[in-house]
Amino acid sequence: MDGAHGGAGLATGVGTEVLRYALATLGCGVRLVHHDELEAREELLEHLEQVFGGRDELAAAVEDAFERALQTLVVGLKQAWLLMETGGEHDYCEAFGEKVQAPFVAEAQLEGRLFLDFLDGFFIDLDTARDAAGALLGLGELDGPALFAQLLDAGLVQGGVADAAARATEALRRGLVEVAGLEEEHPIVRLGCWRDLLVDALHWHLTDVVRSQPSWSRYLDALAPERLDREEGRAIAARDADARGRLERARELAERATAFAEVAGEILPNREWLFHVADRLEDFDETVESDLLKGRAISAHDLPKIVATALRKLHEKMGTSPVGRLADALVPPAPAIVDIARRAKRDLGRCHWAGEEYGEAALQLAGILVSSVGPQAAERYYREAAAFGADPATVQYGLHLVALVGGDLDGALIHLVNAANLAPDRFMPFDFARYMPKGILGAGGSGPTFLVERQTEGGEPEDCVIKVLWDRASVVDPRPSLRPLGELARAGLPGVARIVHLGAHLREYPYVVTAHVEGDDLEGFREVHGGRVKGSATAAIGAQVAATLERMHAAGLLHRNLSPRNVRVGAGEEGLEATLLDACVPNVLLAAPGRVGGVRRLLAWARVGRSIAESFGNVTAPEVVQGGLEQAGAPADVYGLGVLLYRLATGAWPRPADPESLPRALREVVLRCLARDPAERPAAGEVRALLEAAAAQADEAPRAAAAQAPGPFGGVGAPAADPFGVPHAAADPFGQAGALGDPFAAPGADPFAAPGADPFAAPGADPFAAAP
């Protein structure tokens, strides 16, 4: 077989071009992430096979994407039926009808009865095309090495994106005729090959499948516009025309996917449940057997009431609600509850659509799925709930959570603003009039981070950053863990992002407002500098970080969150200036007892879970991994400093550290910072002095970091043991949790003493004395 073991990587037969086009964007991301490893092709193919969980998982994802592509066409073609069944108030297929169906019908001259016959032919042979997916895509003849060689080579996109799509369409046409046995004039062939519709749908859906997989999505993260801008700047500086060409093709692929999304319109976010509706339109049974009622026959019109009632009782038992909260996903439900939820889900699939009753059942099920299966599994039912009249504010907040954990930050903000406008008392995490949200920057163990704009006392707009804690105050009392933030604000230490305000919106949503710091975080800074930073520059940045830690530790404060993402480097008066972010902010997802296992579940469910788990596994000191946040002290901050120094200098994580990959001037200080025994690590002041001396030394030629085995988080390098293998200490690191009574009743020093009042009410220099 050609390319079966790392050669050209081309499959034989009709599926080659189709598969390569489907994999093109993913292949571009793989090449960008692993550009330093492309020459070691055999080893890279083996690594990719491990990252993707083997040949079968990627092959199944491609076949799933092909099925989704066909389903998208089915939904669009059943526009009229769907409009009637979903109440006729909203046409989810409007864009498809205007940009696909109407132009195709006009070009193909399908009028009246001819069009109805065309639809019948398309639907009749849908299973034939779907069942032939593996053969159509050439997957059957590709073993693991050959499939991943195909993935790697797909990133080259030979001949331009438009030409690649045309070649894929022609190959698909031949495959549908020669492999699936359809006629040249068959509706699936004609519509699927019209304007490259089916191959563009396949490409879009496979990219969407990859985006939803936590360990795979890192390859799409590498294609974010800002990352491509940095890579292009490096290619221009190096006069690398080939690299610039590859980056341009990556942008063309993104534009191609966007164009398909515009054509399909609202079918894409609603595809799953719309197809479910479309598939049942001609197959509806008036009487069905209910799983919840142990096989008893019941009217399909009445079944939504049974489902909604059963799910409400589950919520009462679990202490959850249809409002999806990430904290609900951290404690696994009992097997009996999972079983009831599964039966309720099967029953909902048998229900007849009955307006608000059906919508309420779908909303109750979405809330259960957040905690039992994962937030993204709930998306379909939140969208169904919206279509059938369930509480729109709750639906919008649920979709916000789904988008947030899936990495769709723009969509997450849109849904949150919608929910807050509909029910500000329930879903507004901070005062939007006071702090106008401009974007969501990300989400970590503490909570989501927002970029906002506020008006200064002089009336000028100022950008700030707001960190909102995952837990509401009624779930976990935040006061013990937030008091260090007040001390940090009053101390006014240089090198730490200035704290503007500490508040609790509606007494329920604790948040921290800090000044917006311009510049790159250390991961972006490292990427701009080619993946590794010179020893002198690494030492100079590290010395500034160590000096800030030295000041914090002298004031009795701990950073607790030191990582490359929480250090920002920008232009200062005397050159580069490093500023620490998220100092003293509590990691509420990992702090409370019993939640470490929940984060493991998030790792498998969502990109946010992957980010939290990677940070925990890569950066957290061993004593904190084993004993919980109670064990965090000044040595744990020094360990985090050692990690970011190693990452800057080598481009790898120290799992384990390879001394030979470090510049000699940094070797001793970095390895001492990374000592497993906290007592063996130097104090921050000693680290600062050693790094200042190292910064003055001449740079040596960089060494390559030692090869590391693929890790459980999809990256290169794995920790020696599962970082979640040892549970945290049983004691609650927050000191108070559970039933609180009225946690805001105490006046005086209580930062949440009264609604609207700022914490730390002392006047004068206190930054919380007056509303900003």
Side-chain angles (χ1 to χ4, degrees), residues 702-722:
R703 298 171 181 265
Q708 295 172 308
F713 309 130
V716 177
D722 178 3

Side-chain angles (χ1 to χ4, degrees), residues 451-543:
L451 177 65
V452 301
E453 183 182 282
R454 73 173 186 123
Q455 299 296 316
T456 63
E457 291 182 0
E460 295 295 320
E462 176 190 30
D463 282 348
C464 291
V465 172
I466 291 186
K467 173 78 76 174
V468 177
L469 302 190
W470 287 119
D471 280 323
R472 291 166 293 154
S474 58
V475 175
V476 174
D477 183 357
R479 289 172 293 185
S481 56
L482 291 182
R483 285 183 182 124
L485 282 163
E487 297 173 17
L488 178 64
R490 286 189 286 270
L493 301 177
V496 181
R498 176 175 58 90
I499 298 178
V500 174
H501 179 61
L502 178 64
H505 187 55
L506 303 175
R507 296 189 175 189
E508 270 293 301
Y509 305 101
Y511 65 92
V512 184
V513 187
T514 59
H516 181 241
V517 180
E518 298 290 344
D520 286 329
D521 63 30
L522 288 189
E523 284 292 271
F525 182 81
R526 180 181 60 81
E527 290 169 2
V528 168
H529 287 77
R532 299 187 185 94
V533 178
K534 291 181 179 180
S536 59
T538 297
I541 293 170

